[in-house]
Each structure stands twice: as structure tokens, then as C-alpha cells.
Amino acid sequence: MAGTLNKVMLIGHLGDDIKMHYFEGGNCIGRFPLATNEIYINKQTNEKITSTEWHNLVVRNKAAEICEKYLSKGDKIYVEGRIKSRQWTADDGTTKYTTEIQVTEFTFLNVKKDTEGNKNIPNPDSKSINFDASNEQRPINDLPF
């Protein structure tokens, strides 16, 4: 049986704080850019080159709230998700396109401290929060069949 797979795994740093959008009924989404770097040596010049790729990430509901609470620009995170492309019509009538990563799972890879210097996620002995958002990602009316 032939199948398909749409899965993305990224480790990178937030390029900005989470931008939250709230909807009627209590649902919300959070959006943030994630930077991943590739480092290589230019064989002709022996120069170290860093190439940065930017990814648009989207988290939903409880996952978005957790990310907003604990993440900020510069933080390192591991995410899993799927690629989703969408289009819309801008105010000037032009068609716009974007490609996003719909996050289904994430792990924080650095520990933040609160204003009193105490580690506030998730406890002093741990260095990450894991969250599986796959059960809350897709509303039932968003299924492709």
C-alpha cells in the first residue's frame, strides 16, 4: 500500500515573541518565526559560512498558550509538525501565499528564569517541556474527507 507523509522536524531559535490571535469560542493560535542555521566551509576560500532559513510556525489552543507563557525571542526549541500552504486575498486585491509549519509536538531546549531567578519551567531538575498537540490541532470540520 502506497502512502504519503507530511512531517517536519526542526531545532532552532525563535526570531520573535509569540503573536497570539484569539477567536470566538475560546480557541486561539500563536504564530512565530523560527530560524535554523546551516554552517559549512567554502572550499575555495576556507571561510566558514552560516546560512539561515526562516520558518513560519503555528501552534493552536493549549499549545499556543504554553508557548506564549514560556517562550520568547532567542529561545531554542525542537518542533515537529506538518507543512501547510495557504493563500488569501490582500486588501489591495492581490493573491498572497504562505507556507507554515503546523506544530503538533514541541520540546523547549533551554530553561528560562523568572524575575526572582528561580527556574520556572517545568521544575529545577528538568531542562525541557514536552507537549503533544496532535489531539487538538485539527478541528473536525477541517478534515480533508
Side-chain angles (χ1 to χ4, degrees):
M1 179 171 148
T4 65
L5 177 66
N6 181 353
K7 183 168 183 124
V8 176
M9 296 182 286
L10 300 169
I11 295 176
H13 294 271
L14 273 71
D16 202 354
D17 292 337
I18 312 296
K19 304 289 188 243
M20 296 293 291
H21 303 278
Y22 295 91
F23 305 101
E24 288 183 29
N27 290 328
C28 62
I29 61 171
R31 297 179 186 279
F32 61 96
L34 187 79
T36 57
N37 296 321
E38 177 183 1
I39 300 172
Y40 60 94
I41 303 294
N42 180 319
K43 291 183 180 182
Q44 277 129 8
T45 65
N46 251 3
E47 180 185 5
K48 184 163 90 168
I49 308 292
T50 301
S51 173
T52 301
E53 188 72 34
W54 288 96
H55 312 275
N56 298 313
L57 275 64
V58 177
V59 287
R60 298 183 185 279
N61 301 322
K62 185 68 173 169
E65 293 168 353
I66 290 170
C67 287
E68 180 190 34
K69 183 174 181 180
Y70 293 113
L71 291 175
S72 58
K73 183 177 180 177
D75 286 344
K76 191 173 187 180
I77 187 173
Y78 166 81
V79 297
E80 290 185 20
R82 61 184 162 271
I83 297 173
K84 174 93 174 176
S85 298
R86 60 184 178 89
Q87 70 180 49
W88 70 97
T89 303
D91 292 338
D92 64 3
T94 60
T95 302
K96 302 289 185 179
Y97 301 89
T98 190
T99 300
E100 300 169 325
I101 307 300
Q102 301 284 323
V103 176
T104 57
E105 201 171 319
F106 58 83
T107 302
F108 298 165
L109 297 178
N110 57 337
V111 177
K112 292 179 61 170
K113 296 182 182 249
D114 65 19
T115 54
E116 287 140 18
N118 299 317
K119 294 178 184 176
N120 66 2
I121 64 170
N123 64 52
D125 299 320
S126 181
K127 296 199 183 299
S128 68
I129 283 183
N130 298 313
F131 188 83
D132 182 350
S134 57
N135 290 336
E136 67 172 353
Q137 279 302 93
R138 188 184 290 235
I140 196 72
N141 61 357
D142 190 31
L143 294 176
F145 51 86

